[in-house]
Amino acid sequence: GGWNCRHQLIPVADAVVPKSVRDRIAFTAKEYPNEKKSVNTDSPLSIKQRTKGYIEPTIAQKKSLEDMAKKIGINLQHPMTREEANNGNENPKYGTETQYYVNCQTCTMVHLARRLGLNVEAVGNKSNSVYNYMKKHGFTWLERFLNADGTVPTYEKAHEWAIGEGKNINKINTIKEFIDKKTQADAIYEIYCSWKKKGAHVFCVERQNGKLRFFDPQNKEEGKIVEQYFERMKGNSVMIMRIDDKIINPKCYGLFLKK
């Protein structure tokens, strides 16, 4: 059902990436001859090793994205930085209708798709339309992201980690410690949580140059605003998974709208 993942929109300004930097990004080694080969590999470099946070798609990611792009009716473009991909671009109709307050499960996918060069935005989740779409196409929200070989990846579960560490996962500092421990690699991660009152949500955190930055592709909030979510979430519900090394399930093409 619907996750009731609505939030008040609070705009956050971000720096603009210079065009000169964007122009240096290319898809193939031929276009990028003076750099170490980082394209056409299924072992993506850490974000620390990339240029200003750009992500080069792996072979599996590029194939999946090209398949979706064809069905959507667009071409795969250059990868985007977090600022280019985010800043309200994933879910620009947020704040207009209820369906755009409860489509977080699509917005995190759209963020990764945009980072990898697919210029799309999220559809709304009108009367559980997103879940009905998933059911019709034979997959669940846990299968939105897949491993390169098509298998379903596993989320790291906070309550399991806490039991092993002998800690109380319902404490905010323990939740934060869990996330810190599970995000040691410079990468993009999806966080799932259920709220103490009602509903659930997914949002993102990215580690770059060793620093964590929380952001929400659904409503473009980030930083300390998103960190306030910890006060509202059930600690034993929290799960996290790295997503920038995953492919987006090609069946999800119908949840993306071209810009």
Side-chain angles (χ1 to χ4, degrees):
W3 287 13
N4 190 31
C5 49
R6 63 175 64 203
H7 302 281
Q8 180 181 0
L9 177 63
I10 304 177
V12 178
D14 246 315
V16 176
V17 176
K19 185 175 184 298
S20 60
V21 173
R22 296 198 301 271
D23 287 345
R24 291 185 59 227
I25 306 304
F27 275 113
T28 66
K30 182 181 292 184
E31 294 173 292
Y32 213 49
N34 297 321
E35 298 291 336
K36 292 182 179 179
K37 187 174 181 181
S38 61
V39 187
N40 293 335
T41 171
D42 283 315
S43 299
L45 295 174
S46 71
I47 290 174
K48 185 187 297 183
Q49 296 170 293
R50 301 168 188 152
T51 305
K52 300 296 184 182
Y54 288 97
I55 301 174
E56 296 286 0
T58 64
I59 294 173
Q61 286 174 329
K62 191 172 182 182
K63 182 181 185 303
S64 174
L65 291 165
E66 287 177 337
D67 288 347
M68 287 192 286
K70 185 175 181 180
K71 292 176 180 177
I72 297 169
I74 60 177
N75 294 318
L76 193 60
Q77 301 175 11
H78 282 185
M80 305 181 194
T81 62
R82 179 178 54 234
E83 289 74 16
E84 292 167 334
N86 192 221
N87 242 1
N89 291 313
E90 299 99 330
N91 194 33
K93 296 184 180 68
Y94 180 85
T96 62
E97 298 178 53
T98 301
Q99 61 179 307
Y100 300 106
Y101 285 98
V102 291
N103 64 342
C104 60
Q105 67 292 119
T106 303
C107 294
T108 51
M109 283 193 297
V110 169
H111 179 78
L112 179 61
R114 291 179 60 78
R115 293 292 289 272
L116 295 171
L118 196 65
N119 189 19
V120 292
E121 63 184 65
V123 301
N125 183 21
K126 188 173 185 178
S127 301
N128 285 336
S129 58
V130 169
Y131 297 99
N132 293 334
Y133 174 91
M134 291 179 182
K135 184 177 180 180
K136 180 180 178 181
H137 288 80
F139 69 104
T140 70
W141 74 271
L142 290 169
E143 299 167 302
R144 294 166 301 137
F145 299 102
L146 300 173
N147 294 317
D149 62 1
T151 57
V152 180
T154 303
Y155 283 80
E156 299 267 14
K157 298 178 176 62
H159 73 275
E160 293 180 354
W161 172 84
I163 291 172
E165 296 290 323
K167 297 187 177 184
N168 183 356
I169 195 57
N170 291 312
K171 292 184 177 181
I172 294 175
N173 285 340
T174 308
I175 300 172
K176 290 183 176 180
E177 182 183 355
F178 163 73
I179 290 174
D180 182 67
K181 295 290 186 183
K182 300 301 180 180
T183 57
Q184 290 300 299
D186 274 27
I188 305 169
Y189 304 81
E190 181 185 78
I191 298 173
Y192 166 87
C193 70
S194 59
W195 302 126
K196 292 177 180 178
K197 291 187 176 181
K198 183 181 179 181
H201 194 47
V202 286
F203 59 102
C204 293
V205 63
E206 180 170 348
R207 189 179 291 276
Q208 188 168 6
N209 297 320
K211 296 181 179 180
L212 283 181
R213 186 175 184 180
F214 295 89
F215 64 100
D216 192 336
Q218 185 182 45
N219 55 26
K220 79 175 185 180
E221 295 177 1
E222 62 177 79
K224 293 187 180 300
I225 297 171
V226 176
E227 289 183 50
Q228 293 174 8
Y229 293 177
F230 291 111
E231 300 172 6
R232 301 165 47 201
M233 63 177 64
K234 296 178 182 177
N236 61 4
S237 73
V238 176
M239 302 190 297
I240 191 166
M241 181 174 71
R242 180 175 177 175
I243 60 174
D244 68 326
D245 61 348
K246 307 294 188 295
I247 65 170
I248 298 169
N249 191 328
K251 295 179 180 178
C252 292
Y253 73 91
L255 301 177
F256 299 162
L257 296 173
K258 61 183 177 181
K259 286 285 190 180

